[in-house]
Amino acid sequence: MTDPTISAVIAVLAGFVLAGLLAVPYIAASYRRRGELGLWQVLLVFGFLVYTMSLWTYTLLPVPETTTAWCAEHAAGHLQPRPFRFLADIRREQAGTGVRAVLRNPAVQQAVFNVALFVPLGMFVRHLFRRSFPATVAIGCAVSLFIEGTQLTGVWFLFECPYRLADVDDLLTNTLGAAVGFGLAPLLRLLPGNEPSAPPGVPRPVTARRRLLGMAVDVVSVVLLGTTVALVTTLLLGEPDTVVTALIGTLLPALLLLFVIPVAGNGASFGQRIVLLRPAGPDGGKPAPWRMAVRFLAGSGGYFTLLTLAEAVNGGFELVANLLFFVSGVLAIRPQGHQGLSGLIAGLRVVDVRAREVGNAGP
C-alpha cells in the first residue's frame, strides 16, 4: 500500500469517527436551521469532514523516525521563504516544449496540486458556511499558514525536529486555491435538496425515517452517556461490581434521557427533541405521566431495562430485549402513524412539535 493510499484510508476512517461524534449536534442544528435533514446536505457535510481529515493526513504523513541521527542528517532545508520561487523551479525542471511537456513538469504538477488542494475548502466555506470572498480567502490563508507552521515546527514541537518543508509558495498557491473554490461554489447549488422544502418553522410530516432517526439518537445517546459515566466512575472509584455497572452504565442514563427529560419537558424523549417530534395524548396535549411511564417501559426504556437485567443477573433477558427492539422499529415504520410499539400501547400519537406552535398561534 502506497503512502497516498494509506493517507486516504486514514482520512476516510477519521471522517467517519468525526461524523459519529458530531452527528447528534449536527442533526439538532439542521432541524432548527433548515427545518429538516436533507440527504445531500448530510453527504456534503460528511465530504467536508473527510476533506478536513485529508488535509490533516497530508500535513502529518508520512512520519519518519525522527531520531537524533535523522535530525542531524536533515538539519537544513525545512523552510523556503522566497515567494514565487516555484516559477524558477518550473523553468529549471522544464524538459521540451509543448503542452504535454509542461504538464509533465514536476514543478508545474506540484503548483497545480497545491492550488487544487484548497479548491474544495473555498467551495465548502462559501456554500456551507455562507462566507464572503474576503472571508473565504482569509480562511484559506489561515489554514495554509497553520499547515506550514505545523510542518516548520515539527507538529508544534511534538517531534524532535521538523520532517516536512514549509514553503511560502505553498501558502500563496493554497490561498489561490481557496479563491478559485469560492468562484466554483455555486456548482454545489445544483445538487438536489440544496434548499429546504419549506421555511424552518413550518411543520414537516412525521415519516418513518424521522421516527427511526429519533430512536437511533435515543439509543446512541444512552450508550454514550452510560459509557462516559461508567468510565468516570471506574477512574474515580475503581472497578464497580456487575450490578452497579449495569445500573450506572445502562439504566440510569436511560431513565434520564427517556423518562426524566420527557416528564420535565413536553413529553418528548431526548432523540425526539432533536428531530422536533413529541408524543401527543388523546387530547393532543402533553401525555399524562402514567402514559409516559407505560411508553418508557414498552419502548426504548424497556429495552435498556431488560439489558440491565441481562447484565446484572444473566437471566436470558437479552433475547427479549432484542425482540422488543426489533418490534419497536417495525411498528415505527408501520402503521402509517409511526407510533411504534410504545405509542400503540400507551395510546399516544407522534406529531411535529411545530404543529402545536402553529395551532396555538394568535391571529
Side-chain angles (χ1 to χ4, degrees), residues 316-333:
F317 293 99
E318 188 171 353
L319 177 62
V320 182
N322 291 332
L323 180 61
L324 175 62
F325 186 83
F326 174 76
V327 173
S328 297
V330 170
L331 293 180
I333 300 174

Side-chain angles (χ1 to χ4, degrees), residues 280-307:
D283 61 352
K286 177 180 176 179
W290 71 268
R291 291 186 185 272
M292 287 190 281
V294 172
R295 185 191 67 164
F296 173 82
L297 293 174
S300 299
Y303 168 73
F304 284 109
T305 300
L306 290 170
L307 287 185

Side-chain angles (χ1 to χ4, degrees), residues 28-299:
S30 182
Y31 268 98
R32 281 147 186 81
R33 184 172 64 87
R34 293 169 49 88
E36 59 193 24
L37 186 68
L39 175 60
W40 281 102
Q41 193 75 3
V42 171
L43 293 177
L44 273 179
V45 172
F46 177 71
F48 173 70
L49 295 178
V50 173
Y51 170 73
T52 302
M53 294 297 98
S54 298
L55 287 180
W56 171 65
T57 58
Y58 169 74
T59 303
L60 299 180
L61 301 179
V63 179
E65 291 188 32
T66 53
T67 60
T68 302
W70 188 94
C71 290
E73 183 181 352
H74 300 82
H78 292 294
L79 175 64
Q80 195 294 103
R82 290 170 50 192
F84 303 109
R85 181 177 174 178
F86 73 94
L87 297 176
D89 293 338
I90 291 174
R91 288 193 297 269
R92 186 179 65 254
E93 298 285 348
Q94 187 63 37
T97 59
V99 176
R100 288 188 177 181
V102 172
L103 294 179
R104 291 173 181 171
N105 188 317
V108 171
Q109 294 174 353
Q110 182 64 35
V112 171
F113 172 77
N114 285 331
V115 173
L117 183 65
F118 270 59
V119 168
L121 179 64
M123 297 177 71
F124 284 131
V125 168
R126 179 179 181 181
H127 182 77
L128 293 178
F129 302 103
R130 312 293 184 184
R131 297 304 178 187
S132 64
F133 179 74
T136 300
V137 172
I139 290 172
C141 182
V143 172
S144 181
L145 184 62
F146 178 79
I147 289 175
E148 298 306 313
T150 300
Q151 294 175 341
L152 180 62
T153 59
V155 194
W156 304 105
F157 308 105
L158 291 177
F159 291 88
E160 189 171 344
C161 63
Y163 59 89
R164 299 288 295 271
L165 172 66
D167 192 335
V168 69
D169 282 341
D170 290 351
L171 178 65
L172 297 175
T173 51
N174 290 161
T175 304
L176 175 61
V180 173
F182 181 90
L184 296 177
L187 293 176
L188 297 179
R189 298 176 185 172
L190 301 178
L191 295 175
N194 182 62
E195 296 297 330
S197 59
V202 174
R204 305 300 202 274
V206 179
T207 62
R209 184 177 67 178
R210 195 169 164 195
R211 281 283 285 123
L212 292 175
L213 181 60
M215 293 169 66
V217 170
D218 275 334
V219 172
V220 170
S221 300
V222 170
V223 171
L224 290 178
L225 179 60
T227 302
T228 303
V229 171
L231 179 61
V232 171
T233 302
T234 301
L235 292 175
L236 295 178
L237 304 177
E239 186 71 31
D241 60 38
T242 303
V243 175
V244 174
T245 300
L247 289 174
I248 65 175
T250 303
L251 186 57
L252 291 182
L255 281 170
L256 173 64
L257 298 178
L258 306 179
F259 186 72
V260 175
I261 287 180
V263 170
N266 63 356
S269 67
F270 179 74
Q272 288 177 332
R273 294 172 74 93
I274 292 296
V275 298
L276 299 183
L277 293 176
R278 70 173 181 88
D283 61 352
K286 177 180 176 179
W290 71 268
R291 291 186 185 272
M292 287 190 281
V294 172
R295 185 191 67 164
F296 173 82
L297 293 174

